[in-house]
Structures are given as C-alpha cells and as structure tokens.
C-alpha cells in the first residue's frame, strides 16, 4: 500500500483544521501556507472532503473551512479510504472482495487478507484527535 500525496495532504489538512479551528472558519490561504501546499492543489482535496461532508466550506468574506464533527470522530482509515479509494495491499482484495480467479488455489491470499485486516484495524483505531495529541496519543 502506497499512500498518495492526496491522501497524505488530506490527513494533514484535517489535523491542521482540528488544531486551529476555533469558532470561525479557516481560509484556504492560511491552511496552504501552514502546510506548504499550493492553494490550487489543496482546493481539489478540500472539495473532495466537503463533497463527502467531512468539512463544511464557505466562500467569500468570513469564508473558509471547518470540521463538521469533533476531531475524535474522524479516523485515519476513513480519510484515506475517501482519498485513496482502497487501503488493500494487493489488488485482489480491493473493495473487500476476493476477485482473483485463482483465489481457491492461492497460497498467499491468507497473508494478504491478514495484512489488509491489520492495516484497516490500525488505521481505523487512529483518530484525527490522536494525531493532534502527537506521538503519545497514538494507539499501540
């Protein structure tokens, strides 16, 4: 599994918003500056997060972005699945289906299925709030 820049930046944005969100929305420009990402690229990622109701966004004066729920309710797994499409370590497990024609005689499917389960279990146990808390906040 290789997480793309889109997935990594989406996670960084969610943590940034959790760290800096008060009662107001945070402008795109501020997020982009703090994260060292171009506004144009970030706008694409934020659009995906807004469309999927992870963030709310508003244009114009006083506009910007904010989380739609508390940081402890967002998991790393859900954010990465949204931006990456799949966290499966091999294509035959994507979407939770065993789509390979050789699955019945595959000697390695068990290894990949267990790895897929471990990845999902771990990433679904880590929240944005854990990341805000830093390394000590991460589950073991």
């Amino acid at each position: 599994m290789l997480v793309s820049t889109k997935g990594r930046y989406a996670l960084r944005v969610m943590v940034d918003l959790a760290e800096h969100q008060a009662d107001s929305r945070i402008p795109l420009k501020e997020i982009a500056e703090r994260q060292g990402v171009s506004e144009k690229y970030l706008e694409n990622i934020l659009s995906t997060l807004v469309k999927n109701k992870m963030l709310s966004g508003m244009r114009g004066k006083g506009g910007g972005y904010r989380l739609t729920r508390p940081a402890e309710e967002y998991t790393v797994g859900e954010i990465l699945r949204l931006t990456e499409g799949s966290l499966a370590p091999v294509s035959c497990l994507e979407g939770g289906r065993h789509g390979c024609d050789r699955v019945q005689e595959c000697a390695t499917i068990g290894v990949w299925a267990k790895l897929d389960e471990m990845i999902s279990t771990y990433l679904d146990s880590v929240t944005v709030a854990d990341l805000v808390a830093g390394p000590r906040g991460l589950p073991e």
Side-chain angles (χ1 to χ4, degrees):
M1 176 184 83
L2 185 63
V3 177
S4 70
T5 54
K6 183 176 182 179
R8 293 192 322 269
Y9 291 171
L11 193 53
R12 285 172 39 188
V13 163
M14 297 296 284
V15 171
D16 186 284
L17 288 170
E19 288 176 326
H20 296 96
Q21 184 167 294
D23 292 331
S24 61
R25 297 178 184 278
I26 300 172
L28 171 67
K29 184 176 180 148
E30 283 183 30
I31 301 166
E33 285 175 3
R34 280 195 296 264
Q35 294 304 314
V37 179
S38 80
E39 287 183 46
K40 187 165 181 69
Y41 189 63
L42 205 54
E43 196 168 28
N44 179 16
I45 294 168
L46 290 167
S47 170
T48 299
L49 296 170
V50 168
K51 185 170 64 174
N52 288 277
K53 299 184 177 20
M54 295 183 112
L55 300 178
S56 67
M58 192 170 88
R59 295 183 184 262
K61 187 172 171 73
Y65 298 88
R66 67 181 326 159
L67 301 176
T68 57
R69 51 190 207 246
E72 55 273 0
E73 292 182 18
Y74 294 96
T75 69
V76 171
E78 107 181 275
I79 296 163
L80 292 179
R81 277 186 206 90
L82 175 65
T83 56
E84 301 298 313
S86 172
L87 299 177
V90 292
S91 62
C92 59
L93 292 177
E94 285 183 347
R97 61 175 167 69
H98 298 281
C100 177
D101 294 339
R102 299 180 42 86
V103 73
Q104 297 303 321
E105 64 268 358
C106 181
T108 62
I109 192 69
V111 170
W112 304 128
K114 181 65 176 173
L115 179 59
D116 186 42
E117 179 186 329
M118 292 169 71
I119 290 168
S120 289
T121 299
Y122 179 70
L123 293 178
D124 289 338
S125 75
V126 180
T127 68
V128 168
D130 294 329
L131 297 176
V132 170
R136 290 194 178 105
L138 294 178
E140 303 219 3

